Amino acid sequence: GESITYSLSYKYSSDLEVVFPDSSYNYFPFALISKKYFPTVTANNISKDSAVYKLRTFEINKTLSYSLPIFIIDHASGDTTKLFAVLDTVIQQQYIEDVPKQLKLKSKTDFQYVRPWFNYPHFLSITFALLIAGASIFLMFKTRILKTYRLYTLKKGHVSFIKNFETHEGDFDKENEIYSLENAVSLWKIYLAKLENKPIISYTTTEIIALFNNESLKEGLQIIDSAIYGGVLNKETEKALDILKRFSHQRFLRERNRIRKREVE
């Protein structure tokens, strides 16, 4: 559970596009706490990117070998090459001593109070009757019940999303850190994937823009890409987060109206 620091750097030709793992990457057997990126340094057509990741694990292995990748993106072919760093190892010290295999059992023969026998037939009869009554009521009002439930869960999920998104948005406003921006975008993708019932989490920016064909959303996503991959942070970045929030609210209203107008299947 204690945090460890993992430093990752990569030198490459300046005409390549290189991406480091972000908050959406699966860091198993570790979990990501935070990360810090450093500006790209270029000299003699050779660029160097660096990042420091703060991780933690609850695995109990004495040694854990680990390696993070970098991604080289080829826009011409649409391919992405993954390169892993040299394996590093964490050694964990165990403080709990092994329990002896042979334990001496202590007998206790004092009188133990036994509770009266439970009336299971009576309990099962009442339970069965309540189930029959509940099933009858559900069948009579099935459409209305399911529609109300879907609207309730939809609204609850949206309120939770807005609250968490605005938390990341506030963190970015205060600290102006890339990881706060990435957390907000990752949360937005997860919520939109559930709302639209599409694997948007794995979609690229280009695929999301093509899916929704929304000019405002296109502008917002392109600004965020410039911030995450190009380090361009300004007032436009805050505007882009607001665009994502407003777009998700529009899709929420669209889904709510669809449920209200259509019969529940």
mmCIF file of all heavy atoms in Angstrom, residues 169-202:
data_model
loop_
_atom_site.group_PDB
_atom_site.id
_atom_site.type_symbol
_atom_site.label_atom_id
_atom_site.label_comp_id
_atom_site.label_asym_id
_atom_site.label_seq_id
_atom_site.Cartn_x
_atom_site.Cartn_y
_atom_site.Cartn_z
ATOM 1 N N GLU A 169 -12.248 19.250 -12.835
ATOM 2 C CA GLU A 169 -12.183 20.547 -13.493
ATOM 3 C C GLU A 169 -11.621 21.603 -12.541
ATOM 4 O O GLU A 169 -10.788 22.428 -12.916
ATOM 5 C CB GLU A 169 -13.587 20.941 -13.971
ATOM 6 C CG GLU A 169 -13.631 22.099 -14.933
ATOM 7 C CD GLU A 169 -15.051 22.352 -15.429
ATOM 8 O OE1 GLU A 169 -16.009 21.902 -14.759
ATOM 9 O OE2 GLU A 169 -15.204 23.018 -16.460
ATOM 10 N N GLY A 170 -12.078 21.551 -11.283
ATOM 11 C CA GLY A 170 -11.579 22.486 -10.274
ATOM 12 C C GLY A 170 -10.118 22.255 -9.967
ATOM 13 O O GLY A 170 -9.346 23.206 -9.787
ATOM 14 N N ASP A 171 -9.711 20.973 -9.909
ATOM 15 C CA ASP A 171 -8.299 20.659 -9.669
ATOM 16 C C ASP A 171 -7.421 21.225 -10.786
ATOM 17 O O ASP A 171 -6.331 21.739 -10.537
ATOM 18 C CB ASP A 171 -8.100 19.144 -9.577
ATOM 19 C CG ASP A 171 -8.725 18.558 -8.320
ATOM 20 O OD1 ASP A 171 -9.007 19.329 -7.385
ATOM 21 O OD2 ASP A 171 -8.950 17.333 -8.288
ATOM 22 N N PHE A 172 -7.914 21.114 -12.016
ATOM 23 C CA PHE A 172 -7.132 21.639 -13.142
ATOM 24 C C PHE A 172 -7.048 23.162 -13.082
ATOM 25 O O PHE A 172 -5.993 23.744 -13.364
ATOM 26 C CB PHE A 172 -7.766 21.204 -14.465
ATOM 27 C CG PHE A 172 -7.048 21.739 -15.676
ATOM 28 C CD1 PHE A 172 -5.818 21.230 -16.048
ATOM 29 C CD2 PHE A 172 -7.599 22.774 -16.415
ATOM 30 C CE1 PHE A 172 -5.143 21.730 -17.151
ATOM 31 C CE2 PHE A 172 -6.942 23.274 -17.518
ATOM 32 C CZ PHE A 172 -5.710 22.752 -17.893
ATOM 33 N N ASP A 173 -8.139 23.814 -12.706
ATOM 34 C CA ASP A 173 -8.129 25.274 -12.595
ATOM 35 C C ASP A 173 -7.107 25.743 -11.554
ATOM 36 O O ASP A 173 -6.434 26.759 -11.733
ATOM 37 C CB ASP A 173 -9.518 25.787 -12.210
ATOM 38 C CG ASP A 173 -10.516 25.620 -13.346
ATOM 39 O OD1 ASP A 173 -10.064 25.441 -14.498
ATOM 40 O OD2 ASP A 173 -11.727 25.659 -13.096
ATOM 41 N N LYS A 174 -6.988 24.972 -10.452
ATOM 42 C CA LYS A 174 -6.087 25.378 -9.371
ATOM 43 C C LYS A 174 -4.631 25.037 -9.684
ATOM 44 O O LYS A 174 -3.733 25.860 -9.506
ATOM 45 C CB LYS A 174 -6.496 24.686 -8.065
ATOM 46 C CG LYS A 174 -7.845 25.143 -7.527
ATOM 47 C CD LYS A 174 -8.211 24.335 -6.282
ATOM 48 C CE LYS A 174 -9.591 24.707 -5.754
ATOM 49 N NZ LYS A 174 -9.973 23.889 -4.585
ATOM 50 N N GLU A 175 -4.389 23.798 -10.146
ATOM 51 C CA GLU A 175 -3.018 23.301 -10.273
ATOM 52 C C GLU A 175 -2.475 23.377 -11.697
ATOM 53 O O GLU A 175 -1.278 23.331 -11.908
ATOM 54 C CB GLU A 175 -2.950 21.851 -9.785
ATOM 55 C CG GLU A 175 -3.441 21.687 -8.349
ATOM 56 C CD GLU A 175 -3.530 20.220 -7.952
ATOM 57 O OE1 GLU A 175 -3.119 19.384 -8.772
ATOM 58 O OE2 GLU A 175 -4.001 19.936 -6.846
ATOM 59 N N ASN A 176 -3.396 23.421 -12.685
ATOM 60 C CA ASN A 176 -2.992 23.480 -14.094
ATOM 61 C C ASN A 176 -2.081 22.305 -14.457
ATOM 62 O O ASN A 176 -1.104 22.448 -15.190
ATOM 63 C CB ASN A 176 -2.282 24.804 -14.382
ATOM 64 C CG ASN A 176 -2.527 25.272 -15.807
ATOM 65 O OD1 ASN A 176 -3.585 25.040 -16.369
ATOM 66 N ND2 ASN A 176 -1.552 25.927 -16.394
ATOM 67 N N GLU A 177 -2.424 21.112 -13.912
ATOM 68 C CA GLU A 177 -1.626 19.907 -14.146
ATOM 69 C C GLU A 177 -2.298 19.036 -15.203
ATOM 70 O O GLU A 177 -3.518 18.931 -15.263
ATOM 71 C CB GLU A 177 -1.474 19.119 -12.844
ATOM 72 C CG GLU A 177 -0.623 19.799 -11.784
ATOM 73 C CD GLU A 177 0.866 19.703 -12.099
ATOM 74 O OE1 GLU A 177 1.211 19.015 -13.072
ATOM 75 O OE2 GLU A 177 1.665 20.328 -11.378
ATOM 76 N N ILE A 178 -1.470 18.383 -16.025
ATOM 77 C CA ILE A 178 -1.979 17.543 -17.103
ATOM 78 C C ILE A 178 -2.807 16.380 -16.557
ATOM 79 O O ILE A 178 -3.832 15.999 -17.126
ATOM 80 C CB ILE A 178 -0.821 16.996 -17.957
ATOM 81 C CG1 ILE A 178 -0.172 18.138 -18.744
ATOM 82 C CG2 ILE A 178 -1.306 15.924 -18.922
ATOM 83 C CD1 ILE A 178 -1.031 18.736 -19.801
ATOM 84 N N TYR A 179 -2.365 15.805 -15.416
ATOM 85 C CA TYR A 179 -3.071 14.617 -14.910
ATOM 86 C C TYR A 179 -4.504 14.931 -14.512
ATOM 87 O O TYR A 179 -5.395 14.084 -14.633
ATOM 88 C CB TYR A 179 -2.307 13.956 -13.757
ATOM 89 C CG TYR A 179 -2.318 14.715 -12.448
ATOM 90 C CD1 TYR A 179 -3.359 14.586 -11.554
ATOM 91 C CD2 TYR A 179 -1.256 15.559 -12.113
ATOM 92 C CE1 TYR A 179 -3.367 15.277 -10.358
ATOM 93 C CE2 TYR A 179 -1.259 16.248 -10.919
ATOM 94 C CZ TYR A 179 -2.308 16.105 -10.042
ATOM 95 O OH TYR A 179 -2.317 16.788 -8.853
ATOM 96 N N SER A 180 -4.779 16.155 -14.026
ATOM 97 C CA SER A 180 -6.151 16.542 -13.692
ATOM 98 C C SER A 180 -6.994 16.609 -14.951
ATOM 99 O O SER A 180 -8.166 16.200 -14.968
ATOM 100 C CB SER A 180 -6.166 17.904 -12.986
ATOM 101 O OG SER A 180 -5.457 17.850 -11.781
ATOM 102 N N LEU A 181 -6.398 17.116 -16.040
ATOM 103 C CA LEU A 181 -7.095 17.172 -17.320
ATOM 104 C C LEU A 181 -7.373 15.770 -17.846
ATOM 105 O O LEU A 181 -8.471 15.466 -18.315
ATOM 106 C CB LEU A 181 -6.237 17.963 -18.319
ATOM 107 C CG LEU A 181 -6.814 18.154 -19.727
ATOM 108 C CD1 LEU A 181 -8.092 18.960 -19.677
ATOM 109 C CD2 LEU A 181 -5.794 18.845 -20.621
ATOM 110 N N GLU A 182 -6.377 14.883 -17.739
ATOM 111 C CA GLU A 182 -6.563 13.509 -18.218
ATOM 112 C C GLU A 182 -7.634 12.781 -17.408
ATOM 113 O O GLU A 182 -8.424 12.004 -17.956
ATOM 114 C CB GLU A 182 -5.241 12.751 -18.127
ATOM 115 C CG GLU A 182 -4.219 13.196 -19.153
ATOM 116 C CD GLU A 182 -2.914 12.439 -19.014
ATOM 117 O OE1 GLU A 182 -2.688 11.871 -17.921
ATOM 118 O OE2 GLU A 182 -2.128 12.422 -19.979
ATOM 119 N N ASN A 183 -7.657 12.998 -16.092
ATOM 120 C CA ASN A 183 -8.674 12.364 -15.252
ATOM 121 C C ASN A 183 -10.071 12.814 -15.664
ATOM 122 O O ASN A 183 -11.015 12.008 -15.697
ATOM 123 C CB ASN A 183 -8.425 12.710 -13.782
ATOM 124 C CG ASN A 183 -7.213 12.008 -13.223
ATOM 125 O OD1 ASN A 183 -6.775 10.996 -13.768
ATOM 126 N ND2 ASN A 183 -6.643 12.526 -12.147
ATOM 127 N N ALA A 184 -10.229 14.095 -15.975
ATOM 128 C CA ALA A 184 -11.528 14.615 -16.392
ATOM 129 C C ALA A 184 -11.957 13.994 -17.714
ATOM 130 O O ALA A 184 -13.111 13.575 -17.875
ATOM 131 C CB ALA A 184 -11.476 16.139 -16.505
ATOM 132 N N VAL A 185 -11.041 13.904 -18.672
ATOM 133 C CA VAL A 185 -11.360 13.335 -19.988
ATOM 134 C C VAL A 185 -11.671 11.848 -19.872
ATOM 135 O O VAL A 185 -12.600 11.341 -20.502
ATOM 136 C CB VAL A 185 -10.193 13.570 -20.968
ATOM 137 C CG1 VAL A 185 -10.463 12.865 -22.296
ATOM 138 C CG2 VAL A 185 -9.986 15.060 -21.196
ATOM 139 N N SER A 186 -10.899 11.133 -19.054
ATOM 140 C CA SER A 186 -11.138 9.698 -18.851
ATOM 141 C C SER A 186 -12.514 9.460 -18.243
ATOM 142 O O SER A 186 -13.263 8.569 -18.675
ATOM 143 C CB SER A 186 -10.053 9.115 -17.955
ATOM 144 O OG SER A 186 -10.281 7.746 -17.719
ATOM 145 N N LEU A 187 -12.875 10.274 -17.230
ATOM 146 C CA LEU A 187 -14.197 10.160 -16.610
ATOM 147 C C LEU A 187 -15.286 10.459 -17.623
ATOM 148 O O LEU A 187 -16.324 9.777 -17.674
ATOM 149 C CB LEU A 187 -14.293 11.131 -15.433
ATOM 150 C CG LEU A 187 -15.638 11.179 -14.694
ATOM 151 C CD1 LEU A 187 -15.894 9.849 -13.988
ATOM 152 C CD2 LEU A 187 -15.649 12.317 -13.688
ATOM 153 N N TRP A 188 -15.088 11.451 -18.475
ATOM 154 C CA TRP A 188 -16.067 11.834 -19.499
ATOM 155 C C TRP A 188 -16.279 10.688 -20.493
ATOM 156 O O TRP A 188 -17.414 10.383 -20.853
ATOM 157 C CB TRP A 188 -15.568 13.089 -20.214
ATOM 158 C CG TRP A 188 -16.458 13.567 -21.313
ATOM 159 C CD1 TRP A 188 -17.605 14.279 -21.210
ATOM 160 C CD2 TRP A 188 -16.256 13.352 -22.729
ATOM 161 N NE1 TRP A 188 -18.129 14.533 -22.447
ATOM 162 C CE2 TRP A 188 -17.326 13.972 -23.402
ATOM 163 C CE3 TRP A 188 -15.275 12.716 -23.467
ATOM 164 C CZ2 TRP A 188 -17.439 13.967 -24.787
ATOM 165 C CZ3 TRP A 188 -15.397 12.705 -24.863
ATOM 166 C CH2 TRP A 188 -16.463 13.322 -25.503
ATOM 167 N N LYS A 189 -15.200 10.031 -20.903
ATOM 168 C CA LYS A 189 -15.318 8.912 -21.842
ATOM 169 C C LYS A 189 -16.077 7.741 -21.217
ATOM 170 O O LYS A 189 -16.918 7.112 -21.872
ATOM 171 C CB LYS A 189 -13.919 8.447 -22.278
ATOM 172 C CG LYS A 189 -13.264 9.333 -23.316
ATOM 173 C CD LYS A 189 -11.962 8.688 -23.792
ATOM 174 C CE LYS A 189 -11.322 9.484 -24.916
ATOM 175 N NZ LYS A 189 -10.091 8.829 -25.424
ATOM 176 N N ILE A 190 -15.772 7.445 -19.956
ATOM 177 C CA ILE A 190 -16.449 6.328 -19.271
ATOM 178 C C ILE A 190 -17.949 6.599 -19.172
ATOM 179 O O ILE A 190 -18.782 5.722 -19.440
ATOM 180 C CB ILE A 190 -15.836 6.122 -17.876
ATOM 181 C CG1 ILE A 190 -14.402 5.620 -17.992
ATOM 182 C CG2 ILE A 190 -16.670 5.143 -17.047
ATOM 183 C CD1 ILE A 190 -13.652 5.579 -16.669
ATOM 184 N N TYR A 191 -18.310 7.825 -18.791
ATOM 185 C CA TYR A 191 -19.733 8.175 -18.648
ATOM 186 C C TYR A 191 -20.429 8.124 -19.995
ATOM 187 O O TYR A 191 -21.521 7.572 -20.123
ATOM 188 C CB TYR A 191 -19.863 9.569 -18.043
ATOM 189 C CG TYR A 191 -21.291 10.074 -18.021
ATOM 190 C CD1 TYR A 191 -22.243 9.501 -17.167
ATOM 191 C CD2 TYR A 191 -21.696 11.101 -18.867
ATOM 192 C CE1 TYR A 191 -23.555 9.944 -17.157
ATOM 193 C CE2 TYR A 191 -23.009 11.546 -18.849
ATOM 194 C CZ TYR A 191 -23.941 10.965 -17.991
ATOM 195 O OH TYR A 191 -25.246 11.407 -17.987
ATOM 196 N N LEU A 192 -19.802 8.681 -21.040
ATOM 197 C CA LEU A 192 -20.418 8.727 -22.359
ATOM 198 C C LEU A 192 -20.559 7.317 -22.936
ATOM 199 O O LEU A 192 -21.544 7.020 -23.618
ATOM 200 C CB LEU A 192 -19.584 9.608 -23.291
ATOM 201 C CG LEU A 192 -20.353 10.351 -24.387
ATOM 202 C CD1 LEU A 192 -21.372 11.283 -23.759
ATOM 203 C CD2 LEU A 192 -19.411 11.135 -25.279
ATOM 204 N N ALA A 193 -19.589 6.441 -22.658
ATOM 205 C CA ALA A 193 -19.669 5.058 -23.139
ATOM 206 C C ALA A 193 -20.882 4.349 -22.549
ATOM 207 O O ALA A 193 -21.595 3.605 -23.238
ATOM 208 C CB ALA A 193 -18.385 4.313 -22.787
ATOM 209 N N LYS A 194 -21.135 4.580 -21.257
ATOM 210 C CA LYS A 194 -22.295 3.968 -20.605
ATOM 211 C C LYS A 194 -23.590 4.579 -21.107
ATOM 212 O O LYS A 194 -24.578 3.878 -21.332
ATOM 213 C CB LYS A 194 -22.173 4.151 -19.086
ATOM 214 C CG LYS A 194 -23.283 3.475 -18.301
ATOM 215 C CD LYS A 194 -23.054 3.638 -16.808
ATOM 216 C CE LYS A 194 -24.163 2.940 -16.022
ATOM 217 N NZ LYS A 194 -23.971 3.104 -14.556
ATOM 218 N N LEU A 195 -23.594 5.897 -21.314
ATOM 219 C CA LEU A 195 -24.795 6.593 -21.762
ATOM 220 C C LEU A 195 -25.178 6.189 -23.177
ATOM 221 O O LEU A 195 -26.352 5.977 -23.483
ATOM 222 C CB LEU A 195 -24.569 8.104 -21.684
ATOM 223 C CG LEU A 195 -25.775 9.019 -21.906
ATOM 224 C CD1 LEU A 195 -26.800 8.816 -20.800
ATOM 225 C CD2 LEU A 195 -25.342 10.472 -21.957
ATOM 226 N N GLU A 196 -24.185 6.074 -24.062
ATOM 227 C CA GLU A 196 -24.438 5.771 -25.469
ATOM 228 C C GLU A 196 -24.394 4.273 -25.772
ATOM 229 O O GLU A 196 -24.704 3.863 -26.885
ATOM 230 C CB GLU A 196 -23.397 6.487 -26.334
ATOM 231 C CG GLU A 196 -23.362 7.995 -26.172
ATOM 232 C CD GLU A 196 -24.589 8.678 -26.755
ATOM 233 O OE1 GLU A 196 -25.213 8.084 -27.655
ATOM 234 O OE2 GLU A 196 -24.917 9.789 -26.313
ATOM 235 N N ASN A 197 -23.953 3.477 -24.785
ATOM 236 C CA ASN A 197 -23.816 2.032 -24.978
ATOM 237 C C ASN A 197 -22.885 1.721 -26.151
ATOM 238 O O ASN A 197 -23.176 0.886 -27.003
ATOM 239 C CB ASN A 197 -25.181 1.375 -25.206
ATOM 240 C CG ASN A 197 -25.134 -0.132 -25.036
ATOM 241 O OD1 ASN A 197 -24.275 -0.660 -24.332
ATOM 242 N ND2 ASN A 197 -26.036 -0.835 -25.681
ATOM 243 N N LYS A 198 -21.751 2.428 -26.165
ATOM 244 C CA LYS A 198 -20.731 2.231 -27.193
ATOM 245 C C LYS A 198 -19.368 2.231 -26.509
ATOM 246 O O LYS A 198 -19.181 2.897 -25.489
ATOM 247 C CB LYS A 198 -20.778 3.340 -28.251
ATOM 248 C CG LYS A 198 -22.017 3.288 -29.155
ATOM 249 C CD LYS A 198 -21.955 4.405 -30.191
ATOM 250 C CE LYS A 198 -23.094 4.278 -31.211
ATOM 251 N NZ LYS A 198 -24.411 4.446 -30.598
ATOM 252 N N PRO A 199 -18.369 1.506 -27.084
ATOM 253 C CA PRO A 199 -17.026 1.427 -26.449
ATOM 254 C C PRO A 199 -16.203 2.701 -26.658
ATOM 255 O O PRO A 199 -15.093 2.664 -27.182
ATOM 256 C CB PRO A 199 -16.395 0.219 -27.139
ATOM 257 C CG PRO A 199 -17.020 0.204 -28.498
ATOM 258 C CD PRO A 199 -18.449 0.668 -28.298
ATOM 259 N N ILE A 200 -16.739 3.828 -26.224
ATOM 260 C CA ILE A 200 -16.096 5.121 -26.463
ATOM 261 C C ILE A 200 -14.777 5.231 -25.696
ATOM 262 O O ILE A 200 -13.889 5.990 -26.084
ATOM 263 C CB ILE A 200 -17.061 6.262 -26.083
ATOM 264 C CG1 ILE A 200 -18.283 6.216 -27.013
ATOM 265 C CG2 ILE A 200 -16.404 7.632 -26.159
ATOM 266 C CD1 ILE A 200 -19.367 7.199 -26.673
ATOM 267 N N ILE A 201 -14.624 4.453 -24.619
ATOM 268 C CA ILE A 201 -13.393 4.514 -23.825
ATOM 269 C C ILE A 201 -12.173 4.215 -24.689
ATOM 270 O O ILE A 201 -11.107 4.816 -24.514
ATOM 271 C CB ILE A 201 -13.466 3.519 -22.648
ATOM 272 C CG1 ILE A 201 -14.649 3.868 -21.736
ATOM 273 C CG2 ILE A 201 -12.174 3.509 -21.850
ATOM 274 C CD1 ILE A 201 -14.900 2.856 -20.650
ATOM 275 N N SER A 202 -12.336 3.300 -25.661
ATOM 276 C CA SER A 202 -11.206 2.911 -26.506
ATOM 277 C C SER A 202 -11.131 3.728 -27.792
ATOM 278 O O SER A 202 -10.223 3.526 -28.593
ATOM 279 C CB SER A 202 -11.318 1.421 -26.864
ATOM 280 O OG SER A 202 -12.514 1.167 -27.588
#
